[in-house]
C-alpha cells in the first residue's frame, strides 16, 4: 500500500512537473512574444526619433538661413543708412548753395531793375535830346530860309 501511495504520489508529481513544464513553455512563448513586440516598438520608436532629428536638422537649417538673410538685411540697412547720411549731407550743401544762388538772383534782379530804370531814363533823355536837336535843326533851317 505504501508503494502504491508512493507510486501515486510520484505519478501526481510527474503530472505536476509536466504541467509546470507546459506553463514554463507557455511563459517562455509569452516572453518571446513580448520581446518581439518590444523589438518592434523599439524599432518604431527609433524611426520616430530619426524623423524628429531630421525635422530638427531641417528647422535648424531654415533658422540658419533666416539668420543669414537677417544679417544680410542688417548689413544692407547699414549701407543704406550710410548712403542716406551722405544724401542728407549733399542735400544740406545743395540747399545752402541754392539759398546763396537765390540771394544772388535777388541782387541781380534788383540790379537789373535799376539798370532798366536807368536805361529807360537814358532812352528818354536821348529822345528828348533828339527832339531838341530836331527842333534845333528845324529852327536852323527856318533861319536859313529867312536869310
Amino acid at each position: 500500500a505504501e508503494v502504491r501511495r508512493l507510486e501515486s504520489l510520484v505519478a501526481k508529481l510527474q503530472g505536476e512537473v509536466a504541467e509546470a513544464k507546459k506553463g514554463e513553455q507557455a511563459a517562455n512563448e509569452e516572453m518571446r512574444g513580448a520581446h518581439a513586440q518590444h523589438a518592434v516598438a523599439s524599432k518604431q520608436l527609433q524611426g520616430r526619433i530619426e524623423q524628429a532629428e531630421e525635422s530638427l536638422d531641417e528647422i535648424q537649417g531654415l533658422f540658419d538661413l533666416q539668420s543669414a538673410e537677417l544679417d544680410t538685411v542688417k548689413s544692407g540697412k547699414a549701407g543704406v543708412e550710410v548712403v542716406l547720411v551722405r544724401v542728407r549731407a549733399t542735400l544740406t550743401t545743395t540747399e545752402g548753395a541754392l539759398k546763396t544762388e537765390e540771394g544772388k538772383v535777388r541782387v541781380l534782379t534788383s540790379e537789373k531793375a535799376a539798370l532798366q530804370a536807368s536805361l529807360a531814363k537814358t532812352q528818354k533823355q536821348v529822345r528828348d535830346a533828339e527832339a531838341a536837336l530836331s527842333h534845333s535843326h528845324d529852327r536852323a533851317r527856318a533861319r536859313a530860309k529867312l536869310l
Side-chain angles (χ1 to χ4, degrees), residues 41-55:
S42 178
K43 208 174 237 185
Q44 289 173 342
L45 182 59
Q46 184 61 36
R48 287 186 194 143
I49 289 171
E50 288 172 2
Q51 286 177 342
E53 287 173 345
E54 287 173 7
S55 294

Side-chain angles (χ1 to χ4, degrees), residues 4-137:
R4 265 194 251 145
R5 189 178 71 79
L6 285 175
E7 284 176 349
S8 169
L9 185 60
V10 167
K12 182 179 172 189
L13 287 174
Q14 285 176 341
E16 285 179 11
V17 167
E19 280 296 315
K21 283 185 179 181
K22 284 182 187 174
E24 182 183 14
Q25 278 182 335
N28 283 340
E29 287 296 319
E30 240 181 78
M31 183 84 100
R32 278 193 285 277
H35 281 296
Q37 286 177 345
H38 177 309
V40 168
S42 178
K43 208 174 237 185
Q44 289 173 342
L45 182 59
Q46 184 61 36
R48 287 186 194 143
I49 289 171
E50 288 172 2
Q51 286 177 342
E53 287 173 345
E54 287 173 7
S55 294
L56 185 60
D57 287 344
E58 285 179 30
I59 290 169
Q60 184 63 46
L62 290 173
F63 176 78
D64 291 344
L65 180 63
Q66 290 294 324
S67 181
E69 288 177 0
L70 181 59
D71 289 345
T72 301
V73 167
K74 284 180 181 177
S75 173
K77 180 183 174 199
V80 167
E81 288 173 349
V82 167
V83 169
L84 188 56
V85 166
R86 288 181 184 157
V87 167
R88 284 182 181 148
T90 301
L91 182 58
T92 301
T93 302
T94 303
E95 286 173 342
L98 180 60
K99 286 179 182 177
T100 300
E101 292 303 314
E102 286 172 344
K104 289 179 183 177
V105 166
R106 279 193 295 276
V107 167
L108 290 174
T109 301
S110 175
E111 288 176 3
K112 177 183 173 187
L115 287 173
Q116 284 175 334
S118 176
L119 177 63
K121 184 178 177 184
T122 302
Q123 286 173 340
K124 184 180 181 307
Q125 288 173 347
V126 166
R127 281 192 303 275
D128 289 347
E130 286 175 344
L133 184 60
S134 177
H135 180 64
S136 177
H137 279 297

